[in-house]
Amino acid sequence: MTRFPYLFAPMLFLSACGGGGGGGGVVTPAPSSSPTATPTVTITVTPATAALTANGSQQFACAVSGATDAGCTWTVQEANGGTVSATGLYVAPGTAGTFHVVARSVADTGKTASATVTVSLPTAARPWVTGYYLGYFWDNSYPPERVDMTALTHYVFGRVAPGGGTLDGAPGTVVEGAGTAHEPRLSPDGVRSVEDYLVKRAHDAGRKALLMIGGASDGNGFLLSTTNAIRSTFVKNVVDYMVAHDYDGLDLDWEDKFEGSDEITPHVSGDEAKRRLFALIADLRTEFAKRPRYQGAGKAALLTLPGYTVSINDLGADGKVPQWQADLANKVDQYNLMSYGIGTTWSGNGWLSWFSSPIFGATGQTPRDLNSSIIAYEKTGVPRSKIGIGIGFYGIYFGPGVTGPRQDTEANNIFEYDDDALRYSELVRMGYLSNGTYKWDEVAQVGYRSYAGGGYTPPGSGRNKAGFLSYEDERSIAAKAAWVRQAGLGGTILWAINYDYLPNGTSPLLSAVKTEFKPEAP
């Protein structure tokens, strides 16, 4: 504690001098009182520094001197930098970074002290890169012989579907959905089907090959194929198909009807839909274990599943996702968030304009981003190492009345999100990426195009005008790769690797993924 010393008025000695033999003397003024300075309040925090892992905790203490009231209040300087209780117990966020815990004196609120906290996360040294190849586009985009398997860790062939779903067929059957890619002798080797040719190319590159079953709107097909009476047949048919085509695993794209369905008879409740989903996963695991193809070291069948980001407006007070979603994530080997397109943004209904697959920035009117979704899943018991994020090789755009993010969309009547129509190669061909103004959003870590002056539409295309286009580019892919490692995540999915193949034979986005994620053979 530091105090100012008491101050005393000096004694003034005056010498009176007279001439002509006059006498002299000392005049002493009356002593004055000595004022006391107000003590200075000081505050310190201990420990002054701390190193924590994500979601770790540290008890801090404050010491106040120079005041009767030795209390202090606590805050965290950075937004999303963790929390601190009234007693100084700090809980770190789920992301890495440097944060500051601040103590403020109750007696003198102008006096503060802080501690520096460094938060680290496990490093995902080998994040997976799971890329979808859409077999039904094999003959008009990304020739099979050109596919760069070394840019991936897991290659996914799309697709087949459950019988009774979008491709019809009897419930319990596996319906081929990649057109002529299933036909023999059409591949570059003149012998195999394109499907089998690509599986072999993946294996030759030391990569795993997965079969995509299902997709958007196939929920009814899955429900019809997983009744107690049919499920065992369906499971056998699925695994038979995988073995016949030498797949290493299954990408289970059951994406909808989790809340039940009135479209099939008899009606299926939400509880029953979830029961059938979990029963299917359990039965697939059992069937995998029976097959010699999936027995032995390194040969166990992989099971992956694309899931969803979550809206911060839908989370409870505990910040968790519904428990069944966390349980589902924990039942599979990769749980990958479909964060592209309408997986993170929408128009109208209270939304502000927002991005495809933003890392940060979720608010009440832009309620989805990757970071908040990861935290919510983790709070519900899903390890970060099991979760992958989505990178879409296509764009989405709002009409000309919206020229950037965080703008009102209630009056916007143009919202385009068709992945095929807005694939990256089409954005290049139609001039979307050579018009407008490129901008980078530091919060969301995503780039975008703004088309002022009435918007942009490709000449002669008849398309709706674009005012704000969100899409992935090399910079946003680099940001995601760095964040995946920093946040200790499992990896990423790419939808779809056909979409960025250009006429000059290059694949700019896939090349960026390869450079930034540095995929290794699993």
Side-chain angles (χ1 to χ4, degrees), residues 3-19:
R3 294 180 183 273
F4 289 116
Y6 288 106
L7 303 176
F8 294 95
M11 299 297 291
L12 181 62
F13 294 91
L14 300 177
S15 176
C17 299

Side-chain angles (χ1 to χ4, degrees), residues 9 121 143 152 154 162 180 192 201 207 249 261 265 293 335 354 373 403 414 417-418 423 435 445 481 484 501 515-516:
L121 292 166
L152 311 173
H154 298 76
T180 58
R192 298 174 177 82
R201 287 206 62 223
R207 270 51 182 173
S261 178
T265 302
R293 169 64 177 81
Y335 185 75
W354 195 226
S373 292
T403 57
I414 297 173
Y417 53 88
D418 183 272
R423 62 174 73 184
N435 285 275
Q445 293 288 286
V484 162
Y501 183 76
T515 298
E516 301 298 339

Side-chain angles (χ1 to χ4, degrees), residues 22-80:
V26 176
V27 178
T28 305
S32 61
S33 60
S34 302
T36 302
T38 301
T40 299
V41 174
T42 62
I43 181 171
T44 57
V45 173
T46 54
T49 62
L52 301 175
T53 56
N55 300 308
S57 62
Q58 172 69 52
Q59 180 66 59
F60 289 98
C62 68
V64 177
S65 60
T68 303
D69 188 341
C72 62
T73 58
W74 296 93
T75 56
V76 179
Q77 180 175 306
E78 294 80 11
N80 300 318

Side-chain angles (χ1 to χ4, degrees), residues 127-192:
W128 66 69
V129 178
T130 299
Y132 290 81
Y133 181 88
L134 307 183
Y136 39 88
F137 289 145
W138 76 270
D139 55 354
N140 59 42
S141 69
Y142 212 4
E145 68 275 16
R146 299 297 302 271
V147 175
D148 185 0
M149 293 293 180
T150 64
L152 311 173
T153 60
H154 298 76
Y155 157 81
V156 186
F157 176 80
R159 70 176 179 125
V160 298
T166 56
L167 300 181
D168 300 322
T173 60
V174 175
V175 185
E176 294 178 343
T180 58
H182 299 288
E183 296 181 11
R185 296 182 295 279
L186 292 184
S187 71
D189 66 12
V191 177
R192 298 174 177 82

Side-chain angles (χ1 to χ4, degrees), residues 83 86 95 97 146-147 157 161 182 190 204 208 216 233 281 290 322 326 364 388 393 396 419 431 436 446 486 489 510:
T83 61
T95 55
R146 299 297 302 271
V147 175
F157 176 80
H182 299 288
D204 288 346
K208 298 291 187 181
T233 299
I281 290 173
K290 294 178 181 178
F393 284 11
I396 60 101
D419 57 323
V446 180
Q486 181 188 60
L489 303 181
L510 186 60

Side-chain angles (χ1 to χ4, degrees), residues 369-388:
D369 67 18
L370 292 169
N371 185 59
S372 61
S373 292
I374 296 295
I375 291 172
Y377 275 105
E378 185 179 41
K379 285 183 176 180
T380 324
V382 183
R384 286 171 172 255
S385 59
K386 192 179 282 286
I387 305 174

Side-chain angles (χ1 to χ4, degrees), residues 173 241 256 347 372 390 508:
T173 60
Y241 190 99
D256 63 326
S347 180
S372 61

